[in-house]
Amino acid sequence: MPSPKLILVTGATGYVGGRLVPRLLEAGYRVRVLVRDPARLQGRSWLKRVEVVSGDALLPKTLATALKDVSIAYYLIHGKQGGKISAERDLQVARNFADAANEAGIERMIYLGELVDPTSDLSPYLRARHETGYILRYSSVPVTEFRAGMIVGSGSALFEMIRYLAEREPLLICPAWFFSQAQPIAIRDVMFYLIDAIETPESIGRLIEIGGPTRLTYADMLRGYANERDLKRVLIRTPFNTPRLSAYWVHMVTPIHWRVVLPLIEGLRASLIVRDEAANKLFPHIKPIDFQTAVRLALGRIQRDNVETSWADALVTVAGDIKPYTFTVEEGMYIETRQILLDLTPETVYRSYSGIGGTRGWLYMDGLWAMRGWMDKAVGGVGLRRGRRHPDEIRVGESLDFWRVEEVEPNQLLRLRAEMKLPGKAWLEFKSDPQDGKTLFTVTAYFAPRGLFGFLYWYAMWLPHRFIFDGLTRRLASRARLLAH
């Protein structure tokens, strides 16, 4: 039975960190998580079992509380945007964290880095990932650094890229990086290594490369996925790498943003293979599964709607700087956000949006909303005629026109799940967050496309949605002002 050590997990809102936390709890450890915005942890089944500390590694003063009494810290912090500015920020964060860990006197750090040949021509992002390992290892706190290449699992960037390309593209013109060697590793095996390192003192101070049992090219992986889905795909090889152009192409034909996929493609220009067999000697009991088995497990999770860390993590977003409109793609989910700072109370703003729909209507372009309801009825959907139970009161689980009320937090949040006929899943969320005596009013539309038609549907509806939701946000703000008087 593990000792009741206190473990700090950074990056708990990310793909790896979000899966690591519940497994540490299952193994009997006490867990603390460091996050910039605790709101992003809402909905996690393990939230009440961990200690949450709000802080930012760019601000060294916020790290002392997070590291107090900690035995082991998992360093899973890194930016996704790439570029020199992001790389420099990542390195500064690593320096801050290493200094704070030293001052706190923790026993050890465990870092998950990138499995890329450091002698090759690396992008600023990948170079920073390697230099982060150096910064942590050469601090006074002992470090175990794992280097993993392509991680396969439901919701991972690699798996989603493979899945959408294989599902949507019967003929692929493949750049040279499609044919570089790699050793993809299942997310479950990454978890085994990260957790078992705690009780493996021989791993202290070691740099450990981890990967799956077979070497494959990206083309092999795509064919393997296609075979699992019984799809026939034709790949035509070209001699060009063109990572940025490839990232834009992936951005256009999959839900993954080009900034997310670019570091992955840049890494694929070099071989992502294990050159040191230390992992087999230090962890002989861990037998990584092959790529095909990993794909089968990931597909099973998706089909059962049991994806632990994926797009659902983004259902609560960070407000950050106030921007009237932002659009992002996170783990296959299209996210459109609109924000207005109102000189009103959160309660007043909540009254405005919680009374939407039904006989009151949708405040802006009601004719278009009615037309969408009629179209939904015509194809066997629920349409708008269900209305709402009460013009002002609202409860979780009840219907609201062609939406279902999924979550209600009085004076703070209303989330609606679409029940109209759609080639995917959609949500509409309204939030009223207090901010320096005012209220940040946020309207967010989410769409998770299903297949090629879902992808085409979103792009066909983007302009109308932009027009309608912009107007809806303004009208709800106006109604809130009227309610205040």
Side-chain angles (χ1 to χ4, degrees):
M1 182 71 181
S3 59
K5 293 180 179 179
L6 178 60
I7 310 296
L8 175 68
V9 178
T10 63
T13 57
Y15 181 73
V16 174
R19 298 201 177 203
L20 179 62
V21 170
R23 284 157 180 79
L24 287 169
L25 293 169
E26 290 170 7
Y29 296 105
R30 294 184 297 133
V31 178
R32 176 185 293 162
V33 297
L34 170 66
V35 291
R36 284 180 295 179
D37 183 2
R40 292 198 67 189
L41 295 175
Q42 289 185 12
R44 307 277 184 160
S45 61
W46 42 261
L47 181 57
K48 293 183 179 179
R49 300 170 60 197
V50 304
E51 180 185 349
V52 179
V53 175
S54 176
D56 188 338
L58 274 173
L59 305 173
K61 292 182 179 179
T62 67
L63 295 176
T65 302
L67 287 162
K68 184 180 179 181
D69 300 325
V70 164
S71 296
I72 295 172
Y74 282 92
Y75 190 86
L76 303 174
I77 303 171
H78 66 92
K80 288 185 177 182
Q81 303 304 315
K84 291 183 179 180
I85 295 176
S86 179
E88 291 169 1
R89 183 174 62 245
D90 283 355
L91 296 179
Q92 186 58 54
V93 165
R95 295 186 193 100
N96 292 346
F97 195 88
D99 291 343
N102 179 41
E103 291 179 11
I106 73 171
E107 298 174 13
R108 186 177 169 199
M109 290 184 282
I110 299 176
Y111 169 57
L112 180 63
E114 301 283 342
L115 178 60
V116 178
D117 182 1
T119 64
S120 60
D121 181 22
L122 300 181
S123 67
Y125 168 82
L126 292 173
R127 180 65 64 187
R129 296 286 281 148
H130 273 249
E131 291 179 5
T132 293
Y134 297 141
I135 291 170
L136 298 178
R137 289 203 313 276
Y138 288 103
S139 68
S140 60
V141 178
V143 174
T144 298
E145 178 180 351
F146 289 100
R147 287 184 178 176
M150 308 167 78
I151 297 177
V152 184
S154 53
S156 74
L158 167 69
F159 180 77
E160 292 302 304
M161 191 164 76
I162 290 173
R163 181 161 74 102
Y164 281 99
L165 289 178
E167 295 281 356
R168 295 175 175 177
E169 299 285 316
L171 174 67
L172 290 107
I173 308 298
C174 304
W177 58 264
F178 258 67
F179 302 92
S180 297
Q181 291 283 319
Q183 280 182 250
I185 183 170
I187 182 63
R188 52 168 273 172
D189 293 323
V190 174
M191 294 294 104
F192 289 149
Y193 283 117
L194 289 175
I195 294 174
D196 286 11
I198 296 176
E199 304 298 334
T200 307
E202 296 84 3
S203 67
I204 297 174
R206 299 294 297 272
L207 194 160
I208 306 165
E209 297 179 342
I210 56 176
T214 51
R215 295 183 180 183
L216 301 167
T217 66
Y218 189 80
D220 293 331
M221 293 180 234
L222 200 145
R223 291 191 189 101
Y225 177 93
N227 289 337
E228 195 67 34
R229 294 277 290 117
D230 198 25
L231 302 170
K232 295 187 182 297
R233 296 295 180 256
V234 177
L235 279 60
I236 300 176
R237 184 170 187 165
T238 68
F240 309 107
N241 257 314
T242 60
R244 188 169 289 268
L245 181 61
S246 297
Y248 290 146
W249 165 57
V250 171
H251 174 89
M252 293 302 297
V253 300
T254 80
I256 308 171
H257 197 279
W258 69 268
R259 285 194 176 95
V260 174
V261 79
L262 180 59
L264 178 62
I265 293 174
E266 289 174 332
L268 284 168
R269 290 185 296 176
S271 295
L272 308 180
I273 58 175
V274 175
R275 294 174 174 82
D276 186 337
E277 297 299 326
N280 293 335
K281 298 174 183 177
L282 292 168
F283 307 95
H285 55 288
I286 298 178
K287 306 295 182 185
I289 61 176
D290 61 87
F291 173 78
Q292 210 64 33
T293 302
V295 168
R296 198 169 297 124
L297 290 172
L299 279 172
R301 278 188 172 275
I302 290 172
Q303 290 164 359
R304 296 192 303 272
D305 286 330
N306 189 27
V307 180
E308 277 187 80
T309 51
S310 182
W311 54 262
D313 305 342
L315 282 178
V316 180
T317 60
V318 182
D321 295 332
I322 299 170
K323 299 177 181 179
Y325 174 83
T326 58
F327 168 66
T328 58
V329 181
E330 296 189 29
E331 303 290 2
M333 173 75 79
Y334 293 104
I335 305 170
E336 288 188 86
T337 302
R338 292 158 175 85
Q339 295 181 324
I340 300 178
L341 189 62
L342 299 172
D343 193 8
L344 301 169
T345 65
E347 293 80 3
T348 302
V349 178
Y350 174 82
R351 283 176 57 202
S352 176
Y353 61 73
S354 64
I356 202 168
T359 56
R360 185 173 285 122
W362 288 81
L363 304 184
Y364 185 76
M365 302 297 292
D366 269 348
L368 290 180
W369 286 95
M371 182 182 297
R372 182 64 181 88
W374 179 86
M375 291 169 61
D376 190 55
K377 275 283 189 181
V379 295
V382 296
L384 279 174
R385 293 183 180 177
R386 294 190 303 181
R388 55 180 292 163
R389 177 186 58 85
H390 188 280
D392 296 305
E393 295 176 1
I394 197 159
R395 296 193 298 234
V396 171
E398 64 186 14
S399 62
L400 195 166
D401 294 334
F402 45 43
W403 305 89
R404 178 71 56 182
V405 181
E406 187 172 84
E407 185 170 351
V408 175
E409 294 180 21
N411 303 323
Q412 295 180 38
L413 178 142
L414 170 64
R415 185 181 302 139
L416 307 175
R417 185 182 71 248
E419 291 192 331
M420 70 282 278
K421 295 285 187 178
L422 287 170
K425 299 178 181 179
W427 291 260
L428 185 59
E429 181 182 87
F430 306 90
K431 289 184 69 178
S432 43
D433 295 313
Q435 193 167 98
D436 299 325
K438 299 183 180 182
T439 298
L440 180 64
F441 175 41
T442 305
V443 178
T444 308
Y446 304 93
F447 183 61
R450 183 177 61 247
L452 177 60
F453 189 51
F455 168 77
L456 296 174
Y457 171 86
W458 188 89
Y459 276 100
M461 295 302 294
W462 179 80
L463 190 58
H465 280 173
R466 178 97 190 243
F467 179 67
I468 292 170
F469 290 135
D470 281 355
L472 172 63
T473 304
R474 291 194 303 270
R475 288 292 178 85
L476 285 171
S478 297
R479 181 168 189 261
R481 294 187 187 99
L482 291 173
L483 289 172
H485 297 296

